């Protein structure tokens, strides 16, 4: 009897594991290099163990319609993902009939809410690439709609999953008292300043520091680069600075460590695949919203000539607008 039960349990686990492995993934938006990196890893044999059985099978190309750099990429990336075995489809609805999970990759955050809604209606888990939205208001709406639909979503920059950054997050230097990160921060007029590219360094900063940022002050370096300093609960401080490349340093009560390095796209992809398999997001909505409130507060500080701006003030304003 015991042997029969064990045999049955093993069979059930094997069936569950097999079904978890076989996942059809789709893309919305072919205007970022991320789609090529993700598709190459998923569709090249032999597959890496972390993504075994997950294939990119279909893509809807349309991304931003009014950002020239994005529009120009679509034809090139469409042909490249087709060459990797991905079917190009004419609409999001057609895509959703062919896939189990979705990579929302449109480089422009503004259409993300509209593109996400049919995915939620269809019950498809979604990874939303950075920036999660074009405004803090829309970021709040995205998580509200996902919660109402009971469909898991998450958003993150690839920089969150750098090896050293993750080690510090896991406690390698104890409680982080101070951190500094840097990344490029090219601007796009349609988005708050740091949403477009500064998000990379800000994501590293929050991965290192954790949540609990109370206020920010924005200034510039001696050579005119963006510099934003946040004050966390307990007097901890974290600074993001516009710079070349990716990096930074964290100081904890048990030592210090480099943070903020870019370790490629695979670590983010592995995290997304694990999310798709388990339904457990590696980043909470609360942390993601705090990151975007930090960047929105940095813009408000700029408008106020470098004054200190609380994250609560920008969150309260955005929440009121989102829930009208």
């Amino acid at each position: 009897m015991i042997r029969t039960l064990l045999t049955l349990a093993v069979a059930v686990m094997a069936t569950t594991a097999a079904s978890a492995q076989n996942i059809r993934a789709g893309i919305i938006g072919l205007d970022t290099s991320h789609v090529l990196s993700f598709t190459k890893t998923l569709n090249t044999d032999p597959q890496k163990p972390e993504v075994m059985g997950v294939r990119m099978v279909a893509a809807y190309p349309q991304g931003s319609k009014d950002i020239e750099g994005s529009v120009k990429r679509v034809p090139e990336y469409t042909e490249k993902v087709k060459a990797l075995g991905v079917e190009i489809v004419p609409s999001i609805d057609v895509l959703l009939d062919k896939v189990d999970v979705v990579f929302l990759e449109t480089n422009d955050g503004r259409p993300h809410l509209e593109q996400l809604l049919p995915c939620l209606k269809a019950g498809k888990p979604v990874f939303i690439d950075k920036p999660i939205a074009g405004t803090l208001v829309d970021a709040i709406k995205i998580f509200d709609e996902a919660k109402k639909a009971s469909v898991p979503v998450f958003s993150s920059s690839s920089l969150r999953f750098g090896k050293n950054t993750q080690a510090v997050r896991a406690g390698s230097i104890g409680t982080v008292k101070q951190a500094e990160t840097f990344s490029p921060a090219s601007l796009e007029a349609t988005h708050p300043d740091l949403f477009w590219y500064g998000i990379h360094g800000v994501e590293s900063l929050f991965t290192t520091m954790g949540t609990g940022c109370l206020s920010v002050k924005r200034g510039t370096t001696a050579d005119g680069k963006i510099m934003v300093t946040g004050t966390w609960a307990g007097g901890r401080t974290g600074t993001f600075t516009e710079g070349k490349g990716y990096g930074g340093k964290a100081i904890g009560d048990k030592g210090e460590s480099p943070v903020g390095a870019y370790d490629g796209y695979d670590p983010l992809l592995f995290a997304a695949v694990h999310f798709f398999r388990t339904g457990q997001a590696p980043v909470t909505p609360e942390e993601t919203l705090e990151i975007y409130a930090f960047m929105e507060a940095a813009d408000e500080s700029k408008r106020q000539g470098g004054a200190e701006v609380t994250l609560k003030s920008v969150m309260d304003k955005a929440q009121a607008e989102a829930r009208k």
Side-chain angles (χ1 to χ4, degrees):
M1 179 66 175
I2 294 176
R3 180 176 297 177
T4 301
L5 290 174
L6 286 173
T7 302
L8 179 60
V10 170
V12 169
M13 287 189 291
T15 301
T16 302
S19 62
Q21 292 287 325
N22 297 318
I23 297 175
R24 302 169 302 163
I27 301 169
I28 297 174
L30 295 178
D31 60 353
T32 170
S33 60
H34 299 192
V35 301
L36 298 181
S37 295
F38 293 164
T39 304
K40 285 177 181 177
T41 297
L42 293 180
N43 289 11
T44 298
D45 290 316
Q47 286 187 301
K48 295 181 179 180
E50 294 89 346
V51 300
M52 193 71 70
V54 183
R55 297 287 187 178
M56 200 74 81
V57 301
Y60 170 63
Q62 182 65 62
S64 176
K65 296 181 180 180
D66 62 354
I67 296 177
E68 184 179 3
S70 292
V71 172
K72 284 184 175 180
R73 295 188 188 105
V74 173
E76 175 190 353
Y77 291 160
T78 298
E79 292 305 311
K80 287 184 175 180
V81 298
K82 280 174 64 177
L84 293 168
V86 176
E87 179 185 359
I88 306 302
V89 298
S91 71
I92 291 175
D93 286 340
V94 172
L95 178 84
L96 294 173
D97 284 338
K98 297 176 179 289
V99 304
D100 305 306
V101 300
V102 176
F103 289 86
L104 179 43
E105 294 295 323
T106 302
N107 208 23
D108 181 352
R110 292 172 297 164
H112 281 178
L113 176 59
E114 179 183 358
Q115 293 172 324
L116 176 69
L117 290 176
C119 302
L120 299 180
K121 185 177 180 180
K124 310 291 184 178
V126 183
F127 164 68
I128 308 170
D129 218 326
K130 63 84 192 167
I132 189 173
T135 65
L136 178 58
V137 172
D138 272 5
I140 292 169
K141 289 180 179 179
I142 281 171
F143 285 119
D144 283 350
E145 293 295 331
K147 184 176 181 179
K148 283 192 292 185
S150 297
V151 176
V153 303
F154 92 96
S155 180
S156 178
S157 158
S158 58
L159 273 292
R160 171 174 290 272
F161 298 98
K163 183 178 179 180
N164 287 335
T165 307
Q166 283 290 307
V168 170
R169 175 78 170 206
S172 64
I173 59 171
T175 300
V176 177
K177 303 296 186 181
Q178 180 181 343
E180 301 173 356
T181 62
F182 61 87
S183 77
S186 58
L187 307 183
E188 164 54 47
T190 58
H191 290 63
D193 284 357
L194 297 182
F195 278 38
W196 191 249
Y197 220 84
I199 174 62
H200 290 308
V202 176
E203 187 100 41
S204 292
L205 183 64
F206 270 82
T207 307
T208 301
M209 295 288 297
T211 56
C213 184
L214 303 175
S215 63
V216 303
K217 294 179 71 173
R218 175 168 168 175
T220 55
T221 63
D223 56 352
K225 302 297 184 182
I226 297 169
M227 182 171 66
V228 182
T229 299
T231 298
W232 267 252
R236 301 185 303 133
T237 59
T239 301
F240 164 76
T241 305
E242 177 185 3
K244 293 183 178 180
Y246 305 90
K249 182 175 76 172
I251 300 173
D253 56 10
K254 296 181 181 179
E256 59 183 63
S257 173
V259 294
Y262 169 62
D263 289 347
Y265 291 125
D266 272 0
L268 170 59
L269 177 61
F270 297 162
V273 167
H274 183 73
F275 158 74
F276 290 140
R277 285 174 172 157
T278 64
Q280 300 299 309
V283 192
T284 65
E286 293 76 16
E287 181 163 349
T288 297
L289 289 176
E290 188 170 317
I291 289 170
Y292 282 82
F294 176 99
M295 296 188 290
E296 177 61 38
D299 258 24
E300 183 60 32
S301 178
K302 177 186 176 183
R303 287 189 284 270
Q304 295 184 24
E308 186 171 15
V309 174
T310 65
L311 271 65
K312 184 178 185 302
S313 67
V314 298
M315 276 296 294
D316 286 350
K317 180 180 178 181
Q319 287 173 336
E321 186 174 343
R323 288 159 187 169
K324 282 181 180 177

